[in-house]
Amino acid sequence: MRAGPALHDTTFMSRTFPKLAIGLVIVIAAMPLGLSSDAVFALPLTAMMLVFVFSSLRLVTVRPWFVFLAGLVMDITTAGPFGFWALVFLMAHCFGRAIAPYGPGLGPIGLWLAFIAAAGAIGALGWAVASLYFMRLLDPYPMAWGLIAVILFFPFAAWALERLVRIGQPAGNLSFRS
Amino acid sequence: MRNGLRWNKQRNMNLAASRRSRKNGILLFTLFFASIILLISSRLENEYMQSVRGAFADLAAPVLEAASLPASMARRAFDRANAYLDLFEELDRLKSENQRLQQVAWRAEGLERRLSQMRTLLNAVDEPALGFASGRVIADARGPFARSMLLNIGAENGVKAGYAVINEDGLVGRIVNAGERAARVILLSDLNSRVPVLVGPSASRAVLVGDNSSTMTLQFLPADVTIYPGDEVYTSGHGGLFPRGLRVGVAIKDPTMELRVGAHAKLDELEYVSVLFFDSPILVSKEADELVSRRASREEAKLLSGAESEETPIRAASRPSSRRR
C-alpha cells in the first residue's frame, strides 16, 4: 500500500477483476458448503469487505449502482430481506470512499483500524435494521463472529487485492485514491 | 498570461470534480433510498417481490447447480476422509446399533401383526399413499436471516408451495416458493418456521418454532406436561399443512438447561431431499366445493336455457403424476 504520483490506467485487473471477485464471493456464499449456523455471516461479510477494499483503492472503479446490484443479488441468493445487503454494501462503499483520500497516509495498520471501525458501525447498523425488520432482537453472536472473521482476514485480503489490481499499471502508480 | 490559463484550467477541473461528486452523492442517496423502500416492501410481503425472487431462482438455477457440484464433491470427499479416520469407532457403534435394531425389528413385527388385526376388527380405511419427487440441493440460502435452500425441482415436477420436504432422517422444512425448474425450501430452523407437532409418548400438542440457530424451541406446550430429553417429536397434522406422523426430531437440553428440539435431519448438510405431494385437506375440500358450486350453477344455467345437462366428473385437487410410495 504505497503512495506515488496520481496516475490511473484502466486495465482488466483494475476494472473487471473487482466486479468478478465480488460476484465470485456472492456465488460461493450461495453454495451448499455445509457451514454451521454461526458461520453463515462470514461469506456475505467477506463480500462487504471486498466492496470496502475496492472502494478505497484509487486504481479501481467500483460504481455505486454495481454495489447496489451486487447487494440485491446477495439478498436473493441468501433469501434474506430484500434490500438488506444492498444497504450494507452501500454503507461499506461509502466508508471505503470516505477513507480513500487518507489511504496513503494511513498505512496498513491505519487502514486496518479504519476497517475495524467501519465494520463495527456497519455490523451494528445492520443488526439494528435486521432486528427492526423482524420486530425482535436478533441473536448478535453470528454477526459478531462473522465480523471478527473478516476483520482478521482483512490485512491479508487487502494486501493481496491491492497487489492484484496493480498488475499492468505503470510502476509509480498509487494504489489509493488521491 | 500563462498563470491565468493555468488558474482557469485548475478552476474548470475543480468545477468538474465538484459536479461529479454532487452527481455521485445524488446517486448514492437514491440507491440508499431504494434499498430502504425495498426493505419495507419485502417486510410487507409484496407479491411482486415474491415473483421476482421466484423468477430469479429459475434464472439462477443452472448457474447455481453447476457451481454447487464442486462444493458437494469436496464435502463428500471431506466426509469420506473423516469416516476413514473414525472407521473402528464407527464399526463398534454399528455393531451395538445392529443388536438394538434387531430387538426393535422383532417387536415391530409383533406390533404390526396386532395392528393389522385391530384394523380388520375396526374396518379401518387405509390412508392413501403420498406421491413424492426427489431433488438435489443446488444452493444453500442459509443466509444470516434465513435458513432456506434451493432445489433443482420445481412446478414442472409437480412441486407446489406448502409441500413438506423430508430426507431419510425426517422432516427438513417446507416449500415456500416454486418456480418452473427450482423451488425454495424454508428449513425447520428458520426464524419464520412454525410446525404443529406432537411431543413424547403422551403426544402433547405444541408448535415447533425456529430461531435461526441449529436447534428449535417448543411453544404452546400445555403447562401440566413434562417433557424429557430424548422424547420424540413428530408432526401432528393439525392445520393440514403436513401429514401426521413425520419424524421431526428429539427433545434435548441445551447448555443453559433450556428445553429445545434437535432435528433428526442434519439441516446444515443436506444434499438430496424429497418433496411430499401432500395437499392440505382443507384446500382440497375447498377446491372440490368450488367445483361443485361451479357445476351446479352451470347446470342451472343450462336448465334455464332448455339444454341438457352435461355430466362432468368432479375431481378433488389432482396429484401430479410421479412415483408413488
Side-chain angles (χ1 to χ4, degrees):
Chain A
M1 297 170 201
R2 283 180 270 160
L7 295 168
H8 186 167
D9 291 349
T10 302
T11 63
F12 172 83
M13 293 309 281
S14 68
R15 200 179 173 87
T16 315
F17 167 72
K19 294 179 182 81
L20 285 179
I22 293 169
L24 185 71
V25 174
I26 291 171
V27 171
I28 292 172
M31 281 184 182
L33 298 173
L35 294 176
S36 78
S37 301
D38 288 336
V40 285
F41 267 101
L43 283 166
L45 286 174
T46 305
M48 180 276 287
M49 182 192 71
L50 292 192
V51 170
F52 178 88
V53 173
F54 289 132
S55 303
S56 64
L57 289 175
R58 189 187 62 86
L59 297 174
V60 177
T61 318
V62 181
R63 303 271 180 230
W65 59 262
F66 171 78
V67 173
F68 176 74
L69 282 182
L72 285 189
V73 174
M74 181 68 95
D75 285 324
I76 292 169
T77 55
T78 57
F82 213 51
F84 176 80
W85 285 111
L87 199 66
V88 167
F89 286 6
L90 281 172
M91 281 194 274
H93 177 70
C94 287
F95 276 115
R97 285 191 68 89
I99 67 127
Y102 312 104
L106 282 172
I109 301 287
L111 187 68
W112 193 22
L113 291 175
F115 177 71
I116 292 171
I122 293 169
L125 269 169
W127 178 79
V129 167
S131 294
L132 200 66
Y133 180 90
F134 289 105
M135 301 279 181
R136 72 184 87 169
L137 283 180
L138 294 176
D139 183 9
Y141 287 106
M143 173 79 98
W145 288 127
L147 283 173
I148 290 169
V150 290
I151 284 169
L152 292 176
F153 182 50
F154 180 82
F156 309 102
W159 177 83
L161 292 171
E162 193 243 358
R163 256 139 197 84
L164 281 170
V165 296
R166 267 205 287 133
I167 293 174
Q169 295 288 337
N173 256 7
L174 255 180
S175 297
F176 284 104
R177 289 172 200 283
S178 58
Chain B
M1 181 74 178
R2 195 178 285 173
N3 274 347
L5 273 175
R6 198 179 296 160
W7 184 83
N8 260 346
K9 204 176 164 189
Q10 186 65 39
R11 191 169 157 265
N12 285 343
M13 275 171 70
N14 285 347
L15 272 174
S18 92
R19 217 174 292 144
R20 216 179 312 132
S21 130
R22 203 180 312 143
K23 233 172 157 183
N24 246 335
I26 292 168
L27 179 64
L28 270 171
F29 176 79
T30 312
L31 292 175
F32 268 113
F33 187 69
S35 304
I36 291 162
I37 293 292
L38 284 172
L39 266 170
I40 294 168
S41 305
S42 176
R43 176 70 209 168
L44 298 174
E45 289 178 359
N46 188 314
E47 267 182 40
Y48 182 68
M49 292 284 172
Q50 296 294 334
S51 62
V52 167
R53 273 184 199 271
F56 185 84
D58 260 358
L59 271 175
V63 179
L64 292 171
E65 195 166 3
S68 71
L69 273 174
S72 52
M73 275 164 67
R75 217 172 68 194
R76 228 174 290 151
F78 183 74
D79 288 347
R80 190 160 289 183
N82 263 347
Y84 275 124
L85 290 175
D86 301 331
L87 215 55
F88 290 104
E89 277 176 30
E90 184 71 3
L91 194 66
D92 288 341
R93 194 186 63 77
L94 286 174
K95 271 182 188 169
S96 63
E97 191 176 273
N98 192 32
Q99 276 180 349
R100 196 173 54 81
L101 287 177
Q102 274 175 352
Q103 287 172 9
V104 172
W106 177 77
R107 275 176 57 202
E109 273 172 31
L111 286 171
E112 207 172 296
R113 261 198 308 277
R114 278 177 63 189
L115 181 68
S116 134
Q117 285 166 358
M118 301 279 188
R119 289 185 82 93
T120 320
L121 281 173
L122 285 169
N123 204 16
V125 180
D126 277 335
E127 283 181 23
L130 282 177
F132 69 99
S134 297
R136 198 162 65 82
V137 177
I138 54 169
D140 191 359
R142 289 185 311 110
F145 310 112
R147 299 288 182 271
S148 71
M149 58 188 189
L150 206 63
L151 302 183
N152 66 347
I153 48 174
E156 64 183 25
N157 306 93
V159 175
K160 283 192 219 166
Y163 280 170
V165 181
I166 58 165
N167 77 347
E168 67 274 17
D169 296 319
L171 186 68
V172 164
R174 70 184 160 86
I175 302 284
V176 281
N177 199 315
E180 278 303 304
R181 290 174 299 278
R184 187 171 292 284
V185 181
I186 179 176
L187 298 179
L188 292 174
S189 52
D190 187 274
L191 202 62
N192 295 310
S193 168
R194 303 281 184 279
V195 180
V197 289
L198 298 174
V199 190
S202 60
S204 311
R205 286 185 194 182
V207 176
L208 187 80
V209 178
D211 59 3
N212 280 356
S213 68
S214 52
T215 54
M216 288 77 70
T217 56
L218 286 170
Q219 282 185 2
F220 306 114
L221 255 177
D224 54 341
V225 171
T226 313
I227 306 292
Y228 298 98
D231 279 355
E232 277 289 327
V233 178
Y234 48 99
T235 55
S236 67
H238 292 129
L241 195 62
F242 295 105
R244 187 190 169 97
L246 292 179
R247 290 178 83 215
V248 175
V250 67
I252 51 169
K253 282 248 166 92
D254 75 353
T256 59
M257 300 309 281
E258 196 193 334
L259 187 81
R260 297 190 64 93
V261 175
H264 283 306
K266 288 178 182 166
L267 301 176
D268 293 344
E269 299 170 18
L270 297 165
E271 201 171 349
Y272 287 95
V273 292
S274 299
V275 180
L276 294 179
F277 298 150
F278 177 77
D279 286 303
S280 164
I282 301 161
L283 293 178
V284 173
S285 64
K286 263 188 188 169
E287 281 179 37
D289 286 350
E290 275 171 22
L291 277 167
V292 169
S293 64
R294 240 182 287 153
R295 184 183 163 215
S297 60
R298 206 166 48 225
E299 278 180 0
E300 203 178 329
K302 277 182 183 172
L303 277 172
L304 282 173
S305 64
E308 271 182 37
S309 72
E310 193 186 318
E311 265 315 307
T312 45
I314 301 167
R315 283 187 298 134
S318 57
R319 290 218 169 98
S321 57
S322 68
R323 288 173 288 163
R324 295 266 157 191
R325 238 181 194 176

